[in-house]
Amino acid sequence: MTARIGVVTFPGSLDDRDTQRAIRVAGAEPVALWHKDKDLKQVDAVVLCGGFSYGDYLRAGAIARFSPVMDTVIEQAKAGLPVLGICNGFQILTEAHLLPGGMLGNDHLHFICRDQKLRVENADTSWTSDYTAGQEIHIPLKNMDGRYVADRRTLDELEAEGRVAFRYLDVNPNGSLNDIAGITNAAGNVVGLMPHPEHAVESLIGTGRTDGLPFFTSILKKLVNA
Amino acid sequence: MARVVVDVMLKPEILDPQGQAVQRALPRLGFEGISDVRQGKRFELEVDGPVDDAALARIHDLAESFLANTVIEDFTVKVESEDVVAGAAK
């Protein structure tokens, strides 16, 4: 028996196929979900993938957040369903207020695409348990609106509760406050980050590293052992 | 018909690199004496029927939940008089 992990496709999603592939490489079963369907097909977890959902009109993730599928994702995430938001998916999670803070344009105003060094700060979430806290990894980063912002009180709370899951190392690529690359909710089932673990799961492609694979093996182990 | 305008601005404490880029371009264009520029969004809503308190309350909810993300942005709602709307259309 394996776990079934849903990947939502919105109009403008780009990385749904890569995300499905990463889930398969990890040994789980990917399930395609459609933005117009409220039905999550009884999946055990959901990934909101990268891209430019609804053209990123209004704000990145702002329109996707009100799509039919998100009604169910929001409701079930609050009840404990594991949800991972990558890039545009992270933006959708902040717009849906499943994660605190917000995402704005990179401070240098350019699109960025680079191999990014990160430190795993929290290895206790549903999506990071196959890492060790303090581990340094390289995974691709590619975005326009990657600047994480939150008010001081929220930042202090995230830091005090260990909810900064990933931090940029060597260079802050977009002006994110506290070098934040990814965060988790208090329960650890909802995680969002800007860099793309699904593009770093096979040694033959991309950077040649497989530093992103533990996202998908973490959730698989959690679900299968549950 | 009346027009209701919703203005959305980044909260003052949040860095606005677009506004800064505009501000830095001003001296090159011969505009002096402008020390800061912040860029926002303006939504013009054409409302069917009267803009009464109930309609304004609904627009306020719309602005708060959708047009603005109040985690990072502030917004204002104001009614433009029908005369102004007519004048602007010419």
Side-chain angles (χ1 to χ4, degrees), chain A residues 58-59 62-63 66 95 97 101-104 106-107 109 147 149, chain B residues 10 14-15 17-18 21 41 43 65-69 71-73:
Chain A
L58 187 58
R59 296 175 303 277
I63 298 177
F66 288 100
E95 283 287 338
H97 306 304
M103 309 299 307
L104 286 167
N106 298 337
D107 59 352
L109 300 173
R147 175 166 52 115
V149 297
Chain B
L10 280 178
I14 291 180
L15 177 71
Q18 288 190 105
K41 293 180 190 141
F43 299 87
S65 62
F66 184 50
L67 299 181
N69 177 350
V71 174
I72 50 178
E73 294 167 324

Side-chain angles (χ1 to χ4, degrees), chain A residues 56-215:
Chain A
D56 274 358
Y57 299 136
L58 187 58
R59 296 175 303 277
I63 298 177
R65 172 252 178 281
F66 288 100
S67 62
V69 73
M70 284 305 296
D71 288 346
T72 318
V73 169
I74 292 167
E75 180 190 312
Q76 295 200 12
K78 287 177 179 167
L81 178 76
V83 179
L84 173 66
I86 302 169
C87 192
N88 197 218
F90 184 20
Q91 294 158 346
I92 294 168
L93 290 175
T94 60
E95 283 287 338
H97 306 304
L98 285 173
L99 292 173
M103 309 299 307
L104 286 167
N106 298 337
D107 59 352
H108 46 72
L109 300 173
H110 298 283
F111 189 89
I112 191 166
C113 184
R114 68 193 307 269
D115 187 21
Q116 177 68 45
K117 191 173 176 185
L118 305 173
R119 184 169 57 233
V120 181
E121 301 280 18
N122 183 333
D124 295 323
T125 79
S126 298
W127 298 92
T128 60
S129 58
D130 258 0
Y131 292 107
T132 51
Q135 188 177 343
E136 295 183 3
I137 61 174
H138 287 78
I139 59 177
L141 176 73
K142 46 163 199 172
N143 63 70
M144 188 72 220
D145 294 331
R147 175 166 52 115
Y148 181 78
V149 297
D151 58 32
R152 179 47 54 190
R153 192 178 55 82
T154 304
L155 287 174
D156 290 345
E157 199 175 286
L158 288 172
E159 295 287 358
E161 294 175 4
R163 288 170 54 196
V164 176
F166 297 92
R167 218 182 292 272
Y168 296 116
L169 284 186
D170 295 345
V171 61
N172 182 329
N174 46 31
S176 291
L177 296 177
N178 291 27
D179 299 332
I180 287 173
I183 56 175
T184 176
N185 68 348
N189 64 309
V190 180
V191 172
L193 80 166
M194 284 314 295
H196 288 263
E198 80 283 12
H199 293 329
V201 297
E202 289 173 294
S203 56
L204 270 178
I205 53 172
T207 60
R209 292 168 174 268
T210 58
D211 290 5
L213 192 57
F215 275 84

Side-chain angles (χ1 to χ4, degrees), chain B residues 19-61:
Chain B
Q20 288 182 340
V22 173
Q23 191 271 333
R24 283 196 299 270
L26 295 179
R28 270 186 280 135
L29 302 174
F31 281 90
E32 302 293 340
I34 295 178
S35 58
D36 191 28
V37 174
R38 291 182 69 80
Q39 182 176 322
K41 293 180 190 141
R42 172 185 167 100
F43 299 87
E44 298 182 343
L45 312 181
E46 305 300 336
V47 182
D48 298 332
V51 181
D52 50 18
D53 286 352
L56 276 177
R58 285 181 58 226
I59 290 169
H60 189 276
D61 288 348

